[in-house]
Short mmCIF file of all heavy atoms in Angstrom, two decimals:
data_model
loop_
_atom_site.label_atom_id
_atom_site.label_comp_id
_atom_site.label_asym_id
_atom_site.label_seq_id
_atom_site.Cartn_x
_atom_site.Cartn_y
_atom_site.Cartn_z
N ARG A 32 -99.08 110.33 78.08
CA ARG A 32 -99.83 111.39 77.36
C ARG A 32 -100.14 112.51 78.32
O ARG A 32 -100.05 113.71 77.94
CB ARG A 32 -101.09 110.79 76.78
CG ARG A 32 -101.87 111.75 75.88
CD ARG A 32 -103.00 111.10 75.14
NE ARG A 32 -104.08 110.65 75.99
CZ ARG A 32 -104.32 109.40 76.29
NH1 ARG A 32 -103.57 108.45 75.78
NH2 ARG A 32 -105.33 109.10 77.07
N PHE A 33 -100.54 112.21 79.54
CA PHE A 33 -100.83 113.26 80.51
C PHE A 33 -99.55 114.06 80.86
O PHE A 33 -99.58 115.27 80.94
CB PHE A 33 -101.39 112.61 81.81
CG PHE A 33 -102.84 112.41 81.82
CD1 PHE A 33 -103.46 111.62 80.86
CD2 PHE A 33 -103.66 112.98 82.75
CE1 PHE A 33 -104.81 111.39 80.81
CE2 PHE A 33 -105.04 112.78 82.80
CZ PHE A 33 -105.65 111.96 81.79
N VAL A 34 -98.43 113.35 81.02
CA VAL A 34 -97.15 114.01 81.31
C VAL A 34 -96.72 114.95 80.20
O VAL A 34 -96.33 116.08 80.42
CB VAL A 34 -96.03 112.99 81.63
CG1 VAL A 34 -94.69 113.69 81.84
CG2 VAL A 34 -96.38 112.15 82.88
N LEU A 35 -96.80 114.44 78.96
CA LEU A 35 -96.39 115.26 77.81
C LEU A 35 -97.26 116.52 77.72
O LEU A 35 -96.73 117.61 77.43
CB LEU A 35 -96.51 114.44 76.53
CG LEU A 35 -95.46 113.32 76.35
CD1 LEU A 35 -95.98 112.27 75.32
CD2 LEU A 35 -94.13 113.91 75.91
N ASN A 36 -98.55 116.36 77.93
CA ASN A 36 -99.45 117.54 77.93
C ASN A 36 -99.12 118.51 79.06
O ASN A 36 -99.06 119.73 78.84
CB ASN A 36 -100.91 117.09 78.03
CG ASN A 36 -101.53 116.77 76.65
OD1 ASN A 36 -101.86 117.67 75.91
ND2 ASN A 36 -101.63 115.51 76.36
N TYR A 37 -98.89 117.96 80.25
CA TYR A 37 -98.61 118.78 81.40
C TYR A 37 -97.33 119.60 81.20
O TYR A 37 -97.29 120.80 81.52
CB TYR A 37 -98.44 117.92 82.64
CG TYR A 37 -98.13 118.67 83.93
CD1 TYR A 37 -99.04 119.55 84.47
CD2 TYR A 37 -96.90 118.48 84.57
CE1 TYR A 37 -98.78 120.26 85.64
CE2 TYR A 37 -96.63 119.18 85.74
CZ TYR A 37 -97.54 120.05 86.26
OH TYR A 37 -97.28 120.75 87.43
N LYS A 38 -96.31 118.97 80.62
CA LYS A 38 -95.03 119.65 80.38
C LYS A 38 -95.05 120.53 79.11
O LYS A 38 -94.08 121.23 78.83
CB LYS A 38 -93.90 118.65 80.34
CG LYS A 38 -93.53 118.04 81.69
CD LYS A 38 -92.39 117.05 81.59
CE LYS A 38 -91.91 116.59 82.98
NZ LYS A 38 -91.17 117.65 83.71
N GLY A 39 -96.13 120.41 78.34
CA GLY A 39 -96.23 121.24 77.11
C GLY A 39 -95.28 120.81 75.99
O GLY A 39 -94.84 121.60 75.20
N LEU A 40 -94.98 119.49 75.97
CA LEU A 40 -94.02 118.98 74.98
C LEU A 40 -94.81 118.59 73.70
O LEU A 40 -95.90 118.00 73.78
CB LEU A 40 -93.31 117.74 75.51
CG LEU A 40 -92.35 118.04 76.69
CD1 LEU A 40 -92.03 116.74 77.43
CD2 LEU A 40 -91.13 118.73 76.22
N PRO A 41 -94.23 118.89 72.53
CA PRO A 41 -94.91 118.55 71.28
C PRO A 41 -94.80 117.03 71.00
O PRO A 41 -93.73 116.47 71.08
CB PRO A 41 -94.14 119.35 70.20
CG PRO A 41 -92.76 119.45 70.79
CD PRO A 41 -92.95 119.58 72.30
N PHE A 42 -95.91 116.37 70.71
CA PHE A 42 -95.90 114.99 70.45
C PHE A 42 -97.03 114.57 69.53
O PHE A 42 -98.05 115.29 69.41
CB PHE A 42 -95.95 114.15 71.72
CG PHE A 42 -97.30 114.08 72.39
CD1 PHE A 42 -98.12 112.94 72.25
CD2 PHE A 42 -97.75 115.14 73.20
CE1 PHE A 42 -99.35 112.88 72.86
CE2 PHE A 42 -98.99 115.09 73.82
CZ PHE A 42 -99.80 113.96 73.66
N VAL A 43 -96.85 113.44 68.87
CA VAL A 43 -97.94 112.84 68.08
C VAL A 43 -98.11 111.42 68.58
O VAL A 43 -97.19 110.84 69.17
CB VAL A 43 -97.63 112.81 66.57
CG1 VAL A 43 -97.57 114.20 65.99
CG2 VAL A 43 -96.31 112.02 66.29
N THR A 44 -99.30 110.87 68.37
CA THR A 44 -99.60 109.52 68.77
C THR A 44 -99.67 108.60 67.57
O THR A 44 -100.34 108.94 66.57
CB THR A 44 -100.88 109.43 69.55
OG1 THR A 44 -100.84 110.33 70.67
CG2 THR A 44 -101.19 108.02 70.08
#
Side-chain angles (χ1 to χ4, degrees):
R32 187 170 68 253
F33 275 59
V34 174
L35 289 160
N36 273 283
Y37 179 66
K38 287 181 173 288
L40 295 164
F42 75 100
V43 294
T44 304

